[in-house]
Amino acid sequence: MPSYAGPPVASRPGEVASTLRLLAYLALTIALVVLDHRGGWLAQVRAQANVVTQPLWWLAGLPGRVTTRVQDDAATRTGLIEENRRLRNDMLVANARLARLQTAAADNAQLRALLGVKTSRGLDVQLAPVLDIDLAPGRQRLVLDAGSRDGATLGQAVIDAGGLMGQIIDTTPAHATVLLLTDPDHAVPVVVARNGVRLIVYGRGRSDLLELADVPLNSGVEVGDVLVTSGLGGRFPAGFPVGTVAALRPDDSHAFLVGDVTPAARLDRGRDVLLLKSAPPQPLPPADPTRFLPEAAPATQGAEAEVPAASSTTPAQSQAPAPANAPTASPSAPTQGAQSGPGGTPPATMPPQEPQR
């Protein structure tokens, strides 16, 4: 033995045991590999192990999934808020455009109606926009964006598609003031289109009501009758609708009727009116002569009843005894008087006769 080699080292018991365990593990591993390769039973063991460990994997991945979900929800909420704000703005813009389109459609319909009135009646009119309106109870007026330089004149009639609205009472170079039919200071002569009865309609300070005063009881006016301008006074042309009788009632004296009239014109709406320059003459509706017959018939019957009574008293009066000093005549008295010659005197009940020649 060389001199540099140390004394022999004895093997430790622990190292031998470790080596034996390693060899045992290697042998077990080789056996398992061979068995799994031939029988495949180890795959079933792994599947069962995966089932057992699946909750553990779910719990291990839960914090990451929660974090991702929170981030996604925050991003989604932010996107929804932004999209909601954008859609709300788009809706406001769309509603504004729709309102403008509806207003334009209403204006178009009104202008078509005004144009239809002009075309159907052959009127010479001028379109005037409404600038301001005053519908206070004691003051019913319009201000038009058309004045004397545009052709507006004092007393000019103002109409719309429904009928008469009023007249111009004041003009400036740029504007004109219209006194509406419903003003308490306004009155217009009208006729009933059905029977031609002439009446007067007054304003009452309400844009939806006119008053028909001093209606004769025997005029034949009924609820639902249409009133048109009569043309009397020369201010308004004849034949323009004024309103419709809505109600009739006796006045305080019960000698006349008072009626409520619904205006034909749309006095409280519309953006344009028509200034009437000239209109073709329109005949008034003929008066109905039979409207007085219902009350004339009883008077006639009463007169006829009086005639027999008067005639029945005549025989009684003729049979009444004559006064004592009155001359009497027999039925032959006229013959005797006629034969008595020129100097004979006829009885008192007979007219004098000429002498016979």
Coordinates of all heavy atoms in Angstrom, one line a residue, residues 88-102:
R88 N -77.9 59.4 -26.4 CA -78.8 60.4 -25.8 C -78.6 61.7 -26.6 O -79.6 62.4 -27.0 CB -78.5 60.7 -24.4 CG -79.5 61.7 -23.7 CD -79.1 61.9 -22.3 NE -79.4 60.7 -21.4 CZ -78.4 60.0 -20.9 NH1 -77.1 60.3 -21.1 NH2 -78.7 59.0 -20.2
N89 N -77.5 62.1 -26.9 CA -77.2 63.3 -27.8 C -77.8 63.1 -29.2 O -78.5 64.0 -29.7 CB -75.7 63.6 -27.9 CG -75.1 64.0 -26.6 OD1 -75.9 64.5 -25.7 ND2 -73.8 63.8 -26.4
D90 N -77.7 61.9 -29.7 CA -78.2 61.7 -31.1 C -79.8 61.7 -31.0 O -80.4 62.2 -31.9 CB -77.8 60.3 -31.6 CG -76.3 60.3 -31.9 OD1 -75.7 61.4 -32.0 OD2 -75.7 59.1 -32.0
M91 N -80.4 61.2 -29.9 CA -81.8 61.3 -29.8 C -82.3 62.7 -29.6 O -83.3 63.1 -30.2 CB -82.2 60.4 -28.5 CG -83.7 60.3 -28.4 SD -84.2 59.4 -26.9 CE -83.6 60.5 -25.6
L92 N -81.6 63.5 -28.9 CA -82.0 64.9 -28.7 C -81.9 65.6 -30.1 O -82.8 66.4 -30.5 CB -81.1 65.6 -27.7 CG -81.2 65.2 -26.3 CD1 -80.2 65.9 -25.4 CD2 -82.6 65.4 -25.8
V93 N -80.9 65.4 -30.8 CA -80.8 66.0 -32.2 C -81.9 65.5 -33.1 O -82.5 66.3 -33.8 CB -79.4 65.7 -32.8 CG1 -79.3 66.2 -34.2 CG2 -78.3 66.3 -31.9
A94 N -82.2 64.2 -33.0 CA -83.2 63.6 -33.8 C -84.6 64.2 -33.5 O -85.4 64.5 -34.3 CB -83.2 62.1 -33.7
N95 N -84.9 64.3 -32.2 CA -86.1 64.9 -31.7 C -86.2 66.4 -32.2 O -87.3 66.8 -32.6 CB -86.2 64.8 -30.2 CG -86.5 63.4 -29.7 OD1 -87.0 62.6 -30.5 ND2 -86.1 63.2 -28.5
A96 N -85.1 67.1 -32.1 CA -85.2 68.5 -32.6 C -85.5 68.5 -34.1 O -86.3 69.4 -34.6 CB -83.9 69.2 -32.3
R97 N -84.9 67.7 -34.9 CA -85.1 67.6 -36.3 C -86.6 67.2 -36.6 O -87.2 67.8 -37.5 CB -84.2 66.7 -36.9 CG -82.7 67.1 -37.0 CD -81.8 66.1 -37.6 NE -80.4 66.6 -37.6 CZ -79.4 65.8 -38.0 NH1 -79.6 64.6 -38.4 NH2 -78.2 66.3 -38.0
L98 N -87.1 66.2 -35.8 CA -88.4 65.8 -35.9 C -89.4 66.9 -35.6 O -90.4 67.1 -36.3 CB -88.7 64.6 -35.0 CG -90.1 64.0 -35.1 CD1 -90.4 63.5 -36.5 CD2 -90.3 62.8 -34.1
A99 N -89.1 67.7 -34.6 CA -90.0 68.8 -34.2 C -90.0 69.8 -35.3 O -91.1 70.4 -35.7 CB -89.6 69.4 -32.9
R100 N -88.9 70.1 -35.9 CA -88.8 71.0 -37.0 C -89.5 70.5 -38.2 O -90.2 71.3 -38.9 CB -87.3 71.3 -37.4 CG -86.6 72.1 -36.3 CD -85.2 72.5 -36.8 NE -85.3 73.4 -38.0 CZ -84.3 73.9 -38.7 NH1 -83.1 73.5 -38.3 NH2 -84.5 74.6 -39.7
L101 N -89.4 69.2 -38.5 CA -90.2 68.6 -39.6 C -91.7 68.7 -39.4 O -92.4 68.9 -40.3 CB -89.7 67.2 -39.8 CG -88.3 67.0 -40.4 CD1 -87.9 65.5 -40.5 CD2 -88.1 67.6 -41.8
Q102 N -92.1 68.4 -38.1 CA -93.5 68.5 -37.8 C -94.0 69.9 -38.0 O -95.1 70.2 -38.5 CB -93.8 68.0 -36.4 CG -93.6 66.5 -36.3 CD -93.8 66.0 -34.8 OE1 -93.8 66.8 -33.9 NE2 -93.8 64.7 -34.6

